[in-house]
Amino acid sequence: MSQQVEVQEKYHRAKQWEIAFFSLNNSATNLYLFAFGFLTYYATGIAGLATLTVSNLLGFARLFDGIIDPTIGIVMDHVGTRWGRFRPIMLISNIALILSFFFLFNLHQFEGTMLMVMYVIALIFHKIAYSFQQTVTKAAQPALTNDPKQRPIFSVYDTIFSSIGVFALGQIVVSNFLSPRHGGEFNLAFYGEFITGVVVISAVLTVLAMIGISRKDKEEYFGLGEQTVETKSIKDYWSVIKGNTPLQTLALAGGAMKLLAQLFADQAVIVIVFGIILGNYGLSGQLSLLQIIPNLVLIALLTALASRKGLKASYTVSIIFLLVSLAILGSVLFTSNDTTQIFTNGGVPMIMFIVGYIGLRIFATYPSSIVLTMAADITDYETARSGRFVSGLIGTVFSLTDSIASSLAPILIGFVVAAIGFTDAYPDASEPLTDALFTGGITMLIIIPAVIALIALFLILKYPLNSKAMEEVQATIAAKKLDRVKEDAAPNILTETPESTEPVARFKDKDE
């Protein structure tokens, strides 16, 4: 067989617009994640629940989400319809997300025990629906493209649509338009307008994402196609988790980075840092606007690095620069005599804060974005190792560690806020700056994130799937497909080729 034919069998590519459209599925779910950050203010300020009750129940909901995630992955791996595997799940789960927000943001109509019951049920329902649609973003990527030079492109579109389009522009809209429009309060009128916009835009993005994956939502792009080893029993699924070292390592690192992203995106942290420590909540939106161009430039550079050196290299560099950004922010805040005057006085401290904060937001969110693509690498690694295509399970293992880690975010924030004296409600932007609020803000913005980032850096340095390893993975998969074709054509003839022997041996299933 010619080298050209082997290359064609080794890689299947997606069209640029397909990658762009499919990345909108992550934006569709991130819209709900962004809006979910305002639930604490609704639940305490309007529904009337206590601070620790809200934070602990949010943590419980995310933990529950993580526990059921592997089951969701197994269900997803066994879905097969005339419309494909992923598109039906995307559509049904987005409709379920709409229903979940209808219940979550109407809790004020209940009282006493019924309020608590409805809050817990709505949280659980939301987390199940969210997990299904969010997992598709990871699970479908191996089918979208397996070209290691093309896969990192997903993070560029995801940055434009999610990091900038959802989180940055979303914060601008809330802090500079919606909040002032409603007198600076998160009242019922604010939530009515805000939540309506979220569900409508998310539904549109979901439909576009379904169009993007439609050509690749077919069995021929799932692992070894019809020859994929079937995964049936719990023992089979456990062998995947137990024998896949890259999965274990990256899931832990990804969970740590997810916790960071949740901390920085939580409205309680943003309000304390900008509304109280800096004295101007509107700055959060203005800095989100300033972040757009640097975000595009830095993500383009990190993507170029990933295409040349592999996804591990860009992930590692991002964490290192995150630590640098935290050091810059810390130096500004700790050395300022009056942090509320940093932006009033201008000069070097203001510039340093802007640089540090923009760097923090970019380098904290990039790993959470690119891990979606790295999950596809791990799915391919498992196919090379065992012949199984279990992208749903692998995607939800990441969701499991994400959920466990991010469940700590509202709990950590709740305990810090309660520890500085706010036990009944979260502090709003009208609170005067005190030593306690400054300490709480620094703890959530600098100290806790620095520790978590160091743990993530240690883990990612141990991650084994660099660019060279991924080339061998794809060569192994191509060789296995070729061997299966030869076996079908001449089942009584030994068909192993010299080209396929080495990679197949390296990734041979440990249970064989």
Side-chain angles (χ1 to χ4, degrees), residues 76-107:
M76 186 176 295
D77 285 332
H78 287 84
V79 171
T81 72
R82 58 183 296 186
W83 301 283
R85 172 177 297 178
F86 303 113
R87 286 169 292 169
I89 294 173
M90 294 162 69
L91 179 61
I92 294 171
S93 57
N94 194 259
I95 294 172
L97 282 170
I98 294 173
L99 294 174
S100 73
F101 260 38
F102 174 79
F103 288 110
L104 277 173
F105 289 93
N106 278 283
L107 292 172

Side-chain angles (χ1 to χ4, degrees), residues 16-31:
Q16 285 287 325
W17 71 266
E18 290 175 322
I19 299 175
F21 272 37
F22 179 66
S23 70
L24 292 172
N25 188 65
N26 198 40
S27 303
T29 53
N30 277 334
L31 269 170

